Amino acid sequence: MKKISTLLVAGSLAAFSAPAMAQDSSNFDGFRVQGVLGYDALKAGSSVDDDANEDNDQSIDGAVYGIQAGYDFDLGGAVVGLEAELTDSSAETEFTNGDFEGFGFGQVDAGRDLFLGARVGAKVAPDLLLYAKGGYTNAKLNILSNDGTTEYNEDFDLDGWRAGAGIEYAINPRTFMNVEYRYSNYSEGEVDFDGDLPDSDRFDVDLDRHQIMAGVGVRF
């Protein structure tokens, strides 16, 4: 009888402690990894004009895809975190029926893009986070041959900054999904010759990047 009473007491304590543990666990804390996919648009900045070619819209767009990793700290009503991202893009210039979308860089396609930054958010519900982000971004534009298919060993290496905002939904404490918009501006560049020649001197550029992204990930 004493053993039975002990088991009942232990079972009751476990039943009460399980909801408490679930309630104490955070949906937005710890290390996270996710895949990202979205729409990518690059355009010459507003200071660039091309009156000589009225059909030149000076922009390229396509799909962007990659992987993101980060670490978040749940402060109660707020969340702060660090993140890094590596993406690639299908955006490239086109030359069709006399319409060349060069936006000042010639025949190129969008290469890899690196981002290092931070984000801060507010929990509007236990499983819903509104956040803003910002940081450093470095992008490549791969130089193509005249037929637009073959890559040279040279590329444009662009430095800039990124800012964005999004919403994240915790499906459960381990998995999540989010959508966000971000804007990047690249203001400095150089030509990389992939070891064949020394890189060029730094020069000023003005390139805007708009992205709408969706992601699904896991926390550890």
Side-chain angles (χ1 to χ4, degrees):
M1 185 68 179
K2 185 175 181 181
K3 291 182 178 179
I4 294 176
S5 300
T6 303
L7 290 173
L8 289 174
V9 171
S12 299
L13 291 173
F16 281 108
S17 62
M21 291 175 64
Q23 190 174 19
D24 291 340
S25 64
S26 171
N27 291 319
F28 307 103
D29 190 80
F31 179 71
R32 57 183 168 87
V33 176
Q34 69 177 110
V36 294
L37 176 68
Y39 171 73
D40 189 24
L42 293 90
K43 187 174 183 179
S46 58
S47 64
V48 176
D49 196 7
D50 189 10
D51 294 333
N53 300 284
E54 63 181 54
D55 293 330
N56 189 354
D57 58 14
Q58 301 183 6
S59 65
I60 58 176
D61 62 359
V64 58
Y65 47 90
I67 188 170
Q68 183 184 115
Y71 197 97
D72 292 321
F73 302 89
D74 191 337
L75 305 179
V79 174
V80 296
L82 303 172
E83 68 180 41
E85 183 182 273
L86 172 63
T87 59
D88 204 346
S89 175
S90 66
E92 64 180 7
T93 57
E94 296 180 359
F95 191 83
T96 306
N97 298 324
D99 180 14
F100 176 56
E101 299 177 349
F103 68 102
F105 290 92
Q107 192 82 344
V108 297
D109 70 4
R112 67 108 183 99
D113 184 18
L114 297 173
F115 171 74
L116 295 173
R119 73 173 188 170
V120 58
K123 292 192 288 186
V124 296
D127 55 2
L128 199 63
L129 179 73
L130 292 178
Y131 63 88
K133 65 192 301 181
Y136 164 78
T137 176
N138 173 269
K140 296 279 191 180
L141 293 178
N142 303 315
I143 300 175
L144 303 174
S145 63
N146 290 335
D147 60 7
T149 59
T150 305
E151 292 184 11
Y152 290 106
N153 289 330
E154 299 87 0
D155 54 48
F156 292 101
D157 185 353
L158 308 176
D159 290 313
W161 56 270
R162 175 178 296 168
I167 185 169
E168 182 171 306
Y169 171 67
I171 302 171
N172 56 54
R174 290 289 305 276
T175 59
F176 63 92
M177 59 188 299
N178 55 18
V179 293
E180 68 179 37
Y181 163 80
R182 65 260 194 114
Y183 165 79
S184 302
N185 177 266
Y186 303 95
S187 58
E188 285 193 332
E190 66 181 17
V191 180
D192 289 342
F193 291 97
D194 197 23
D196 298 332
L197 293 170
D199 294 342
S200 74
D201 293 333
R202 306 291 289 175
F203 52 86
D204 294 335
V205 299
D206 186 7
L207 182 64
D208 298 327
R209 190 170 208 163
H210 302 271
Q211 295 174 324
I212 300 174
M213 307 292 292
V216 177
V218 295
R219 291 185 181 274
F220 300 91

